[in-house]
Amino acid sequence: MATQHSRSAARMMMAPAVILLLGWMLVPLTMTLYFSFKKYLPLRGDSLAGGLDWVGFDNYTRFVTSSSFWPSVQATLIIVGGVLVVTVVLGVLLAILLDQPMWGQGVVRILVIAPFFVMPTVSGLVWKNMFMDPVNGLFAHLWKFFGAAPLEWLSQASMQSIILIVSWQWLPFATLILLTAIQSLDSEQLEAAEMDGAPPLARFGFIILPHLSRAITIVILIQTIFLLSIFAEIFVTTAGAFGTKTLTYLIFQRVLESQNVGLGSAGGVYAIILANIVAIFLMRIVGKNLDA
Amino acid sequence: MGRIVLEKVTKSFGDVEVIPPLDLTIEDGEFAVFVGPSGCGKSTLLRLIAGLEDVTSGEIDIDGQDATEVPPAKRGLAMVFQSYALYPHMSVRKNIAFPLRMAKLDQAEQNRRVEQAAAVLNLTDYLDRRPGQLSGGQRQRVAIGRAIVREPAAFLFDEPLSNLDAALRVGMRLEISELHERLKTTMIYVTHDQVEAMTMADKIVVLRAGNIEQVGSPLELYRSPRNLFVAGFIGSPKMNFIEGGEAGTHGAHAIGVRPEHIAVSESDGPWSGVVGVSEHLGSDTFFHVHETGLAETITVRADGEVGFRHGDRIHMTPRADAIHKFDADGLRIA
Ligand SMILES: Nc1ncnc2c1ncn2[C@@H]1O[C@H](COP(=O)(O)OP(=O)(O)OP(=O)(O)O)[C@@H](O)[C@H]1O
Ligand SMILES: [Mg+2]
């Protein structure tokens, strides 16, 4: 039990880290908020030194009334949701598979983790050029081998392609967390269920899945945070075309392609709000799993 | 209903033969206890009977039917694990009902059986709790409850009390014995606690390195252990073994005398020695006697009031009809 003294000592010790983190978050946040109320078009001669015009909520209304706003929110949610479903479902299956005793287990486990170490930009390019290229891609060859016309992945199935690429990157993370969770399952529980007459599917449903629920919650929460801001995969593949323009990508376009810092900042604030809505939503659905 | 016969059963893990060919019959309604030192294969044997491990060769019959290839769920046996293996995310009620649910019994029947089992095991007040909110003894009872609702042909217990404190252990021991009296179902019980073995068993199976050393009632094993191993394993404190000249006078390679069969006295008795540590249990006192010229230590049990001290020289008289004789191979000489 911590005494009064050791508690205040602990606060002192933690203070630098807390202050640093607070500054780290607060400075960009205030700057974003500040810019979002200003007209800031660097190419038109606006500059911080020259002073920026206050435009009130102009940027906010313009951002949401733009025709690409709602589609971008939708695209974001579809990509996040799709990737979550794919990684959790495949992650559970892979984790169960990797938990089975098999020959070459160590090597297989390392191979499964490998995609996680590939940088998003690189993996996006590799998928785009090696697999999904309609002329030379491996998929094109596969399709041709079966006599089908090659699919133009990134234009005809753009969303699915992005989800596929991002899922491939995040699957190792999900698998790894779920694998450690599965390994912590007491084998006697499974044996007890077997003796109680539970067939394999019932054992999965009644024992393994509930045991994994906490790990799945963690996977969903962590991935959502990172997936809301995926960017590189879209940038190098579709560049936001074919309906793959996410909120993050839209903000990027506003700030860098249209050079409208104020509008982009307003978008950034919307992104923060969206992220919080999603987070609250998720906490409500799955957060109860985190209670002990 | 619950007669279990093992015929020439063997089990190997890779190259290691854990159970050499073994024959054993457990009669219907019997309370059989497997005892033996750690690693001797008790759990493995139990798991073979349960079907959780496959036999390497041999045959297991349950109720006259060959069950060797039958999956665990179909053998009609229920097992209580050392770690209880309760399902942590289900309430006590759901835990106990789980086998019934898997057997697709209707809801009313499930409830009836769960309530009945809960009443028998004093769990009625805890039915809506999770296992995590129960004490060790209560969890143990839930595990037993989950086993009895299925009305199995036999119960298998793998060291079910080893996680409990001493007082609770005595209590649960009585409860399990009581349960056996009531249900009259075959029970196989693994333990390395020989008090449990002696007090609960109809039949004790003493194992060493996968071999059955002796099978018999607790008193049979206590009175006439077949060899040195069983003699040393059954009884607490351990039997005293004496080799050499003294054993020779009895026409044996080694003799064994239990601590409770040696009388102590200040002045007379054929054996003598110096008192080392004495353990006072209140009712009894165990003296560890050294420098006897017979064995390194001789343990004797005396009345709690006997007041020898460390360093006292005492005399001991073994009870003539309670001397066990063993030949050079360690086997009992009748
Ligand atoms: N899955 C396994 N693979 C290899 N060896 C095993 C396996 N399970 C058990 N063994 C070996 O079989 C032997 C018997 O094990 P078992 O668990 O039956 O012992 P036990 O009598 O139950 O011991 P304890 O009293 O410590 O529980 C041990 O030497 C153990 O190392
Ligand atoms: Mg064991």
Side-chain angles (χ1 to χ4, degrees):
Chain A
M1 287 289 102
T3 62
Q4 197 66 43
H5 189 79
S6 71
R7 235 175 306 167
S8 60
R11 277 201 203 113
M12 294 257 292
M13 300 293 202
M14 287 191 310
V18 172
I19 290 169
L20 188 73
L21 279 175
L22 220 61
W24 205 269
M25 267 173 49
L26 281 180
V27 171
L29 185 67
T30 15
M31 280 176 68
T32 309
L33 274 171
Y34 173 75
F35 288 138
S36 69
F37 291 107
K38 299 278 181 181
K39 181 170 93 63
Y40 188 6
L41 296 161
L43 286 186
R44 307 262 175 88
D46 295 338
S47 74
L48 272 176
L52 302 170
D53 291 338
W54 173 266
V55 292
F57 283 92
D58 242 28
N59 287 326
Y60 287 91
T61 32
R62 274 190 46 210
F63 195 87
V64 279
T65 47
S66 125
S67 62
S68 27
F69 175 71
W70 286 110
S72 77
V73 172
Q74 196 188 1
T76 309
L77 294 181
I78 289 175
I79 289 180
V80 171
V83 173
L84 284 180
V85 170
V86 172
T87 50
V88 169
V89 171
L90 288 184
V92 169
L93 295 180
L94 258 179
I96 291 175
L97 205 67
L98 289 179
D99 191 39
Q100 309 298 320
M102 59 177 170
W103 189 80
Q105 203 168 34
V107 178
V108 173
R109 281 185 191 172
I110 289 175
L111 285 179
V112 167
I113 299 163
F116 206 47
F117 297 123
V118 179
M119 280 173 285
T121 328
V122 175
S123 89
L125 286 172
V126 166
W127 275 94
K128 179 185 179 180
N129 297 319
M130 266 183 68
F131 290 98
M132 294 174 167
D133 190 278
V135 181
N136 270 322
L138 284 178
F139 288 154
H141 285 298
L142 194 69
W143 258 241
K144 277 186 236 160
F145 180 79
F146 287 106
L151 199 64
E152 286 186 32
W153 283 86
L154 291 170
S155 51
Q156 289 171 345
S158 51
M159 274 305 218
Q160 289 90 326
S161 304
I162 301 269
I163 291 175
L164 177 64
I165 295 170
V166 180
S167 298
W168 179 79
Q169 281 196 303
W170 282 93
L171 187 57
F173 172 77
T175 308
L176 215 60
I177 293 207
L178 294 170
L179 178 62
T180 51
I182 278 196
Q183 286 172 335
S184 74
L185 175 60
D186 179 9
S187 65
E188 284 195 349
Q189 263 182 46
L190 286 175
E191 288 174 347
E194 195 179 346
M195 300 243 8
D196 283 343
L201 226 66
R203 290 206 288 277
F204 175 76
F206 286 106
I207 314 293
I208 298 179
L209 217 50
H211 175 79
L212 287 182
S213 63
R214 192 179 286 218
I216 291 177
T217 309
I218 290 172
V219 167
I220 290 179
L221 283 177
I222 295 182
Q223 285 201 13
T224 307
I225 293 167
F226 284 93
L227 293 178
L228 279 172
S229 60
I230 48 163
F231 176 78
E233 295 86 342
I234 300 173
F235 184 71
V236 300
T237 52
T238 61
F242 311 112
T244 59
K245 196 186 289 172
T246 60
L247 197 55
T248 323
Y249 204 86
L250 185 66
I251 295 166
F252 157 77
Q253 286 189 331
R254 291 293 182 258
V255 174
L256 280 150
E257 288 180 6
S258 339
Q259 287 284 320
N260 191 337
V261 180
L263 192 59
S265 296
V269 175
Y270 280 121
I272 295 170
I273 293 169
L274 176 76
N276 278 291
I277 291 172
V278 173
I280 291 168
F281 205 57
L282 278 173
M283 286 293 194
R284 289 286 284 274
I285 302 172
V286 291
K288 64 177 197 290
N289 281 332
L290 285 179
D291 303 341
Chain B
M1 272 183 25
R3 187 169 188 267
I4 297 170
V5 181
L6 277 68
E7 268 176 56
K8 304 217 168 32
V9 166
T10 70
K11 175 68 189 175
S12 307
F13 290 111
D15 296 337
V16 188
E17 188 171 64
V18 176
I19 311 273
L22 177 147
D23 294 286
L24 180 66
T25 303
I26 293 155
E27 298 297 340
D28 182 29
E30 206 165 39
F31 198 120
V33 173
F34 294 171
V35 288
S38 189
C40 68
K42 305 182 293 290
S43 299
T44 306
L45 195 54
L46 200 70
R47 293 166 58 83
L48 287 174
I49 296 172
L52 295 173
E53 301 277 1
D54 295 324
V55 297
T56 306
S57 69
E59 193 179 311
I60 297 174
D61 292 347
I62 298 173
D63 287 333
Q65 309 263 308
D66 181 3
T68 320
E69 301 295 327
V70 177
K74 299 262 154 51
R75 294 192 183 192
L77 309 176
M79 184 148 166
V80 176
F81 291 83
Q82 182 172 359
S83 65
Y84 316 138
L86 299 178
Y87 311 129
H89 48 274
M90 296 183 198
S91 65
V92 168
R93 182 189 299 279
K94 290 216 172 116
N95 262 282
I96 297 178
F98 189 72
L100 306 175
R101 191 167 168 191
M102 288 300 118
K104 303 208 165 53
L105 259 65
D106 66 71
Q107 195 62 46
E109 175 69 6
Q110 283 188 27
N111 287 340
R112 196 186 62 76
R113 288 217 213 166
V114 171
E115 303 285 345
Q116 196 183 351
V120 170
L121 295 164
N122 285 326
L123 284 170
T124 315
D125 295 341
Y126 307 107
L127 279 178
D128 295 313
R129 291 209 199 164
R130 295 275 180 99
Q133 301 162 319
L134 298 178
S135 74
Q138 289 162 345
R139 285 182 211 181
Q140 183 59 63
R141 288 207 289 269
V142 176
I144 294 173
R146 196 172 61 187
I148 61 177
V149 286
R150 301 176 49 198
E151 298 173 356
F155 290 99
L156 311 176
F157 292 94
D158 191 354
E159 307 203 25
L161 308 186
S162 58
N163 289 342
L164 304 181
D165 73 45
L168 208 50
R169 240 156 130 148
V170 176
M172 287 304 300
R173 206 164 77 202
L174 291 173
E175 281 184 40
I176 293 175
S177 295
E178 184 75 26
L179 196 70
H180 180 241
E181 288 302 320
R182 189 153 5 141
L183 301 175
K184 303 253 182 280
T185 312
T186 312
M187 291 192 178
I188 304 179
Y189 189 101
V190 167
T191 180
H192 55 240
D193 179 325
Q194 51 135 328
V195 180
E196 279 173 29
M198 294 297 284
T199 53
M200 300 170 89
D202 294 325
K203 173 147 102 187
I204 296 183
V205 179
V206 183
L207 292 163
R208 175 168 60 164
N211 284 303
I212 295 183
E213 294 290 314
Q214 190 170 2
V215 179
S217 73
L219 283 184
E220 257 170 61
L221 263 59
Y222 178 79
R223 290 200 187 117
S224 36
R226 227 188 58 183
N227 56 30
L228 281 173
F229 178 80
V230 178
F233 198 80
I234 301 289
S236 169
K238 214 168 150 319
M239 187 187 278
N240 297 297
F241 293 114
I242 297 160
E243 292 183 5
E246 180 66 22
T249 62
H250 290 87
H253 176 75
I255 58 168
V257 191
R258 297 193 183 278
E260 54 270 39
H261 296 149
I262 300 176
V264 288
S265 129
E266 220 163 316
S267 51
D268 40 53
W271 302 343
S272 78
V274 177
V275 175
V277 174
S278 31
E279 295 172 299
H280 300 278
L281 303 184
S283 58
D284 302 313
T285 303
F286 298 115
F287 294 110
H288 297 270
V289 184
H290 305 288
E291 298 173 34
T292 54
L294 303 163
E296 198 176 330
T297 317
I298 293 212
T299 310
V300 296
R301 191 189 75 182
D303 191 84
E305 305 302 321
V306 176
F308 295 123
R309 288 166 177 285
H310 192 276
D312 287 353
R313 179 158 282 277
I314 59 166
H315 292 264
M316 298 169 288
T317 317
R319 224 174 79 188
D321 61 343
I323 296 177
H324 304 267
K325 298 173 207 154
F326 301 96
D327 65 17
D329 296 328
L331 291 177
R332 179 184 191 80
I333 304 171

